[in-house]
């Protein structure tokens, strides 16, 4: 949901820009990830990550003077949006020392609080295809999988992985005042239409800028940056949600006034249509020692199914699976009176949820899954972040929200955290050592990125020699049986179709049936 600004360095009084500074070299940490084929064989990509521009030191192009101090712009350097962008430069980042960002192979660890020369809280990063462009994902009829460790994320924190419809070059080619581009993490937008961004489309957000009353470093301007957003994963060790957020506009749309709001006059649906197992009535599914045990790493599989099972079809369903301890775990089912027992996100699920929870159906108003699918067809950027919530203490994810509502009312209880939890000043002190680790990112056709037998996800095949699979000659053993939770059918599947005694082959979608 990304309801509030993430903090940046607190004692350097830094800010953010569109020119390029030269005080610190910008070296993007490497991060490998894999593209998988329908056969289940996966190829490694040598990607990189880049820190969002909103965390970077902003200073004059000719020296070290800050363009933004505390939560206030320098009126001389930044008298208006264009002059400010011309006077001020973004600099490179010390990823580990300043921001607590480390990569090892396919693993990305984000520390919550980093006490280097200055204190830093949180971070937001994007996966890159090159040093000057973000990786663009087209998700229709595809599957996205990653491993995550949330064991060190308590109440009030959010380790998020999501997609936003950003420009591949961060707006560099389209906006003359943006000289930094994706290399320096520009061009962010999401469904909250964030107004805390210091620069939008190469213009400083100085008009109407007001410092936040509860933060010494952040504020909001008159402009917001809106775009379609798919929250694949917003979670801590207590609660998790996946949520599509459609917007009426395509790509980054600048909003002002009521267009930035979450009401019927807004461009986007900031609440989205969420599937949070706890909120949907299964309080024993996700958490420490539960079905998905958050004390240990696990694999998150998300499938973006279309109405005709093609990459040009209309998005019709977003399905979730987990893999942990060599077992495929089906998503929990809704257990709320008045809502059918859905275990995935469809337009029908969203309509019923909004009705029973008494929420305005902004999801349908902004185009529902069809609009999210149009965003996927255009291409979206992968975002990874860790943050705390200055607007609502993350209660919307892991506690009762609104906090003054009756917990027994449908949709209010979202997790077992106390309504007094999540206050940023508290968690930044008590959970300063918190962190989230994302690893083993895989992307490919439905069913290609994880082993349906539950033994982890497919690995890279050898560079030469056989890659496994069905022999080209010789008989196939008759009536081979599949184990519990194993795949037993689906388009393109050639393995055992008979389940072991006591289990039956159940169709989950056209590409995947499972022994349950």
């Amino acid at each position: 949901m990304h309801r509030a600004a993430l903090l940046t360095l607190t004692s350097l009084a830094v800010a953010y820009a569109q020119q390029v500074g030269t005080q610190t070299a910008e070296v993007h940490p490497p991060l490998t990830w894999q593209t998988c084929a329908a056969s289940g064989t996966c190829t490694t990509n040598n990607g990189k990550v880049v820190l969002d521009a909103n965390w970077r030191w902003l200073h004059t192009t000719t020296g070290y003077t800050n363009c933004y101090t505390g939560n206030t712009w320098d009126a001389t350097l930044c008298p208006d949006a264009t002059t400010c962008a011309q006077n001020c430069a973004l600099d490179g980042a010390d990823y580990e020392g300043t921001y607590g960002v480390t990569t090892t192979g396919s693993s990305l660890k984000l520390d919550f609080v980093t006490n280097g020369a200055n204190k830093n809280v949180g971070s937001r990063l994007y996966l890159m295809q090159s040093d000057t462009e973000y990786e663009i994902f087209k998700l229709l009829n595809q599957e996205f999988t990653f491993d995550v460790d949330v064991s060190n994320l308590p109440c009030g924190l959010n380790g998020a992985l999501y997609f936003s419809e950003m420009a591949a070059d961060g707006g560099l080619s389209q906006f003359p005042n943006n000289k930094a581009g994706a290399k320096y993490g520009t061009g962010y937008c999401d469904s909250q239409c964030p107004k805390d961004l210091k620069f939008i489309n190469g213009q400083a957000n100085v008009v109407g800028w007001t410092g936040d009353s509860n933060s010494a470093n952040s504020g909001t301007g008159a402009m917001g940056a809106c775009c379609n957003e798919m929250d694949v994963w917003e979670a801590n060790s207590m609660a998790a949600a996946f949520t599509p957020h459609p917007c009426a506009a395509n790509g980054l749309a600048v909003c002002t006034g009521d267009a930035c709001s979450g009401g019927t006059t807004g461009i986007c649906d900031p609440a989205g249509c969420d599937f949070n197992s706890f909120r949907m009535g299964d309080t024993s599914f996700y958490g420490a020692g539960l079905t998905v045990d958050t004390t240990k790493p696990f694999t998150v599989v998300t499938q973006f199914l279309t109405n005709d099972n093609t990459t040009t079809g209309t998005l019709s369903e977003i399905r979730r699976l987990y893999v942990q301890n060599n077992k495929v775990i089906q998503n929990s089912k809704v257990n709320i009176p008045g809502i059918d027992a859905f275990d995935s996100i469809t337009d029908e699920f969203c309509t019923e949820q909004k009705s029973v929870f008494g929420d305005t159906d902004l999801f349908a108003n902004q185009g529902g899954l069809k609009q999210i699918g149009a965003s996927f067809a255009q291409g979206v950027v992968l975002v990874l972040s860790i943050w705390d919530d200055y607007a609502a203490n993350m209660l919307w994810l892991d506690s009762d929200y609104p906090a003054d509502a009756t917990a027994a009312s449908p949709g209010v209880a979202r997790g077992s955290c106390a309504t007094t939890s999540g206050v940023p000043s508290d968690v930044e002190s008590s959970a300063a050592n918190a962190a989230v680790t994302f690893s083993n990112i895989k992307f490919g056709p439905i069913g290609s990125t994880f082993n349906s037998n539950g033994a982890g996800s497919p690995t890279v095949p050898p560079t030469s020699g056989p890659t496994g699979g069905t022999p080209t000659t010789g008989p196939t053993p008759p009536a081979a049986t599949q184990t519990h939770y194993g795949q037993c059918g689906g388009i393109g599947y050639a393995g055992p179709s008979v389940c072991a005694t006591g289990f039956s082959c159940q169709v989950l979608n056209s590409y995947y049936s499972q022994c349950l």
Side-chain angles (χ1 to χ4, degrees):
M1 287 191 177
H2 324 294
R3 294 177 180 269
L6 303 182
L7 291 186
T8 57
L9 303 180
T10 56
S11 58
L12 193 59
V14 299
Y16 322 87
Q18 298 299 138
Q19 305 300 309
V20 175
T22 59
Q23 307 304 326
T24 302
E26 177 64 14
V27 180
H28 300 128
L31 183 70
T32 62
W33 61 283
Q34 294 185 324
T35 305
C36 301
S39 62
T41 58
C42 299
T43 304
T44 297
N45 304 295
N46 294 315
K48 308 174 181 188
V49 291
V50 61
L51 181 74
D52 181 277
N54 230 33
W55 270 255
R56 296 174 181 271
W57 179 26
L58 173 70
H59 55 80
T60 57
T61 56
T62 56
Y64 302 93
T65 303
N66 293 324
C67 291
Y68 178 95
T69 302
N71 55 19
T72 305
W73 291 98
D74 184 300
T76 301
L77 294 170
C78 294
D80 58 72
T82 300
T83 303
C84 186
Q86 294 169 346
N87 284 341
C88 301
L90 284 171
D91 225 307
D94 177 356
Y95 280 79
E96 183 173 4
T98 301
Y99 300 101
V101 174
T102 54
T103 62
T104 305
S106 71
S107 178
L108 170 68
K109 183 184 178 188
L110 305 179
D111 290 340
F112 177 43
V113 176
T114 305
N115 288 299
N118 305 280
K119 180 183 178 182
N120 176 74
V121 178
S123 59
R124 183 166 65 217
L125 297 104
Y126 312 115
L127 184 65
M128 305 196 83
Q129 186 272 329
S130 69
D131 278 320
T132 57
E133 287 198 331
Y134 303 130
E135 186 70 46
I136 297 296
F137 288 87
K138 297 191 174 183
L139 299 173
L140 287 174
N141 202 47
Q142 300 293 295
E143 181 175 278
F144 186 89
T145 294
F146 62 96
D147 294 349
V148 66
D149 185 345
V150 298
S151 61
N152 197 21
L153 284 181
C155 297
L157 294 188
N158 191 334
L161 181 151
Y162 58 104
F163 292 98
S164 285
E165 194 181 338
M166 299 161 57
D169 67 356
L172 181 70
S173 60
Q174 191 174 358
F175 302 103
N177 279 323
N178 182 351
K179 306 299 184 185
K183 181 177 180 179
Y184 291 86
T186 68
Y188 182 69
C189 54
D190 67 34
S191 63
Q192 307 300 305
C193 298
K195 299 168 70 175
D196 66 301
L197 301 176
K198 304 304 186 292
F199 284 82
I200 300 175
N201 288 351
Q203 299 291 307
N205 199 6
V206 295
V207 174
W209 186 268
T210 303
D212 289 344
S213 60
N214 62 348
S215 171
N217 302 283
S218 61
T220 55
M223 296 189 297
C226 309
C227 67
N228 289 290
E229 175 184 359
M230 176 64 222
D231 289 332
V232 175
W233 186 251
E234 290 196 285
N236 51 41
S237 61
M238 308 297 289
F242 61 108
T243 312
H245 299 261
C247 298
N250 295 319
L252 193 162
V254 178
C255 69
T256 57
D258 290 344
C260 301
S261 75
T264 55
T265 58
I267 294 176
C268 294
D269 173 19
C273 174
D274 66 303
F275 199 112
N276 171 332
S277 293
F278 193 105
R279 190 180 188 215
M280 295 306 134
D282 190 339
T283 61
S284 64
F285 183 74
Y286 179 92
L290 302 182
T291 304
V292 177
D293 183 0
T294 59
T295 66
K296 305 172 185 177
F298 49 89
T299 300
V300 181
V301 181
T302 310
Q303 300 171 332
F304 302 99
L305 308 175
T306 58
N307 63 331
D308 60 0
N309 297 314
T310 72
T311 57
T312 57
T314 300
L315 182 67
S316 59
E317 182 180 12
I318 303 171
R319 178 164 287 280
R320 167 60 47 82
L321 300 165
Y322 299 91
V323 184
Q324 190 175 42
N325 298 329
N326 293 328
K327 185 177 77 170
V328 175
I329 302 170
Q330 300 301 314
N331 191 33
S332 63
K333 293 184 180 294
V334 174
N335 183 25
I336 300 287
I339 306 179
D340 290 337
F342 296 100
D343 61 0
S344 64
I345 293 176
T346 62
D347 284 327
E348 293 77 12
F349 160 75
C350 296
T351 298
E352 290 187 24
Q353 182 210 79
K354 298 298 181 183
S355 175
V356 172
F357 290 173
D359 296 331
T360 301
D361 196 354
L362 297 178
F363 183 77
N365 294 349
Q366 300 291 12
L369 288 184
K370 181 179 180 180
Q371 178 63 6
I372 290 292
S375 172
F376 291 172
Q378 179 67 27
V380 289
V381 172
L382 179 63
V383 187
L384 306 110
S385 71
I386 183 171
W387 59 289
D388 57 354
D389 184 358
Y390 273 71
N393 299 343
M394 216 68 73
L395 302 180
W396 56 269
L397 175 66
D398 60 22
S399 184
D400 298 340
Y401 188 81
D404 59 354
T406 302
S409 298
V412 172
R414 295 127 189 272
S416 58
C417 296
T419 55
T420 54
S421 68
V423 177
S425 59
D426 292 343
V427 294
E428 287 165 23
S429 174
S430 64
N433 293 324
V436 63
T437 299
F438 298 104
S439 60
N440 297 323
I441 293 170
K442 297 173 187 278
F443 175 70
I446 302 297
S448 69
T449 68
F450 73 106
N451 188 328
S452 59
N453 291 316
S457 48
T459 55
V460 182
T463 54
S464 61
T467 57
T470 304
T472 55
T473 60
T476 300
T481 58
Q482 182 58 279
T483 59
H484 189 200
Y485 295 110
Q487 186 174 0
C488 54
I491 297 174
Y493 174 73
S497 59
V498 178
C499 294
T501 302
F503 307 106
S504 62
C505 189
Q506 298 187 21
V507 176
L508 301 182
N509 57 64
S510 298
Y511 287 82
Y512 190 74
S513 299
Q514 190 171 33
C515 290
L516 297 172

Coordinates of all heavy atoms in Angstrom, one line a residue, residues 124-127 160-164 166 188-189 381-385:
R124 N 14.3 1.6 -0.9 CA 13.5 1.1 -2.1 C 14.4 1.0 -3.3 O 15.1 1.9 -3.6 CB 12.3 2.1 -2.3 CG 11.4 1.7 -3.5 CD 10.1 2.5 -3.5 NE 10.4 3.9 -3.8 CZ 9.7 4.9 -3.2 NH1 8.8 4.7 -2.3 NH2 10.0 6.2 -3.6
L125 N 14.3 -0.2 -3.9 CA 15.2 -0.5 -5.0 C 14.5 -1.1 -6.2 O 13.3 -1.6 -6.0 CB 16.3 -1.5 -4.6 CG 17.2 -1.0 -3.5 CD1 16.9 -1.6 -2.1 CD2 18.7 -1.2 -3.8
Y126 N 15.1 -1.0 -7.4 CA 14.5 -1.5 -8.6 C 15.5 -2.5 -9.3 O 16.7 -2.3 -9.2 CB 14.2 -0.4 -9.5 CG 13.4 0.8 -8.9 CD1 14.0 2.0 -8.7 CD2 12.2 0.5 -8.3 CE1 13.3 3.0 -8.1 CE2 11.5 1.6 -7.7 CZ 12.1 2.8 -7.6 OH 11.4 3.8 -6.9
L127 N 14.9 -3.5 -9.9 CA 15.8 -4.5 -10.6 C 16.1 -3.8 -12.0 O 15.2 -3.3 -12.7 CB 15.0 -5.8 -10.8 CG 15.8 -6.9 -11.5 CD1 17.0 -7.3 -10.7 CD2 14.9 -8.1 -11.8
A160 N 8.5 -5.5 1.2 CA 7.6 -5.5 0.1 C 8.3 -5.8 -1.3 O 9.4 -5.4 -1.5 CB 6.9 -4.1 -0.1
L161 N 7.6 -6.6 -2.1 CA 8.0 -6.9 -3.5 C 6.8 -6.6 -4.3 O 5.7 -7.2 -4.1 CB 8.5 -8.3 -3.6 CG 9.0 -8.8 -4.9 CD1 10.0 -9.9 -4.8 CD2 7.9 -9.3 -5.8
Y162 N 6.9 -5.7 -5.3 CA 5.8 -5.3 -6.1 C 6.2 -4.8 -7.5 O 7.4 -4.6 -7.7 CB 4.9 -4.3 -5.4 CG 5.5 -3.0 -4.9 CD1 5.3 -1.9 -5.6 CD2 6.3 -3.0 -3.8 CE1 5.9 -0.7 -5.2 CE2 6.9 -1.8 -3.4 CZ 6.7 -0.6 -4.1 OH 7.2 0.6 -3.7
F163 N 5.2 -4.6 -8.3 CA 5.5 -4.1 -9.7 C 4.7 -2.7 -9.8 O 3.6 -2.6 -9.5 CB 5.0 -5.0 -10.7 CG 5.8 -6.3 -10.8 CD1 5.3 -7.5 -10.2 CD2 7.0 -6.4 -11.5 CE1 6.0 -8.6 -10.3 CE2 7.7 -7.5 -11.6 CZ 7.2 -8.7 -11.0
S164 N 5.4 -1.7 -10.4 CA 4.8 -0.5 -10.8 C 5.1 -0.2 -12.3 O 6.1 -0.6 -12.8 CB 5.4 0.7 -9.9 OG 4.9 0.6 -8.6
M166 N 6.4 1.8 -14.4 CA 7.3 2.9 -14.6 C 8.0 2.8 -16.0 O 8.0 1.8 -16.6 CB 8.4 2.8 -13.5 CG 7.9 2.9 -12.1 SD 9.0 2.3 -10.8 CE 10.5 3.2 -11.1
Y188 N 9.8 7.0 -10.1 CA 8.9 6.1 -9.3 C 7.4 6.6 -9.4 O 7.1 7.8 -9.5 CB 9.3 6.1 -7.9 CG 8.5 5.2 -7.0 CD1 8.5 3.8 -7.2 CD2 7.6 5.7 -6.0 CE1 7.7 3.0 -6.4 CE2 6.8 4.9 -5.3 CZ 6.8 3.6 -5.5 OH 6.0 2.7 -4.7
C189 N 6.5 5.7 -9.3 CA 5.1 6.0 -9.2 C 4.4 4.8 -8.6 O 4.9 3.7 -8.6 CB 4.4 6.3 -10.5 SG 4.7 5.1 -11.8
V381 N 7.9 -2.6 -13.7 CA 9.2 -2.6 -13.1 C 9.1 -3.3 -11.7 O 8.1 -3.0 -11.0 CB 9.8 -1.2 -13.0 CG1 11.1 -1.2 -12.1 CG2 10.0 -0.6 -14.4
L382 N 10.1 -4.1 -11.4 CA 10.1 -4.8 -10.1 C 10.7 -3.9 -9.0 O 11.8 -3.3 -9.2 CB 10.9 -6.1 -10.2 CG 11.0 -6.9 -8.9 CD1 9.7 -7.4 -8.4 CD2 12.0 -8.0 -9.1
V383 N 9.9 -3.7 -7.9 CA 10.3 -2.9 -6.8 C 10.5 -3.8 -5.5 O 9.7 -4.6 -5.3 CB 9.3 -1.8 -6.5 CG1 9.7 -0.8 -5.5 CG2 8.8 -1.1 -7.8
L384 N 11.6 -3.5 -4.8 CA 11.8 -4.2 -3.5 C 12.1 -3.2 -2.4 O 12.9 -2.3 -2.6 CB 13.0 -5.2 -3.7 CG 12.8 -6.2 -4.9 CD1 13.8 -5.8 -6.0 CD2 13.0 -7.6 -4.4
S385 N 11.5 -3.4 -1.3 CA 11.6 -2.3 -0.3 C 11.4 -2.9 1.1 O 10.9 -3.9 1.3 CB 10.7 -1.2 -0.5 OG 9.3 -1.5 -0.2

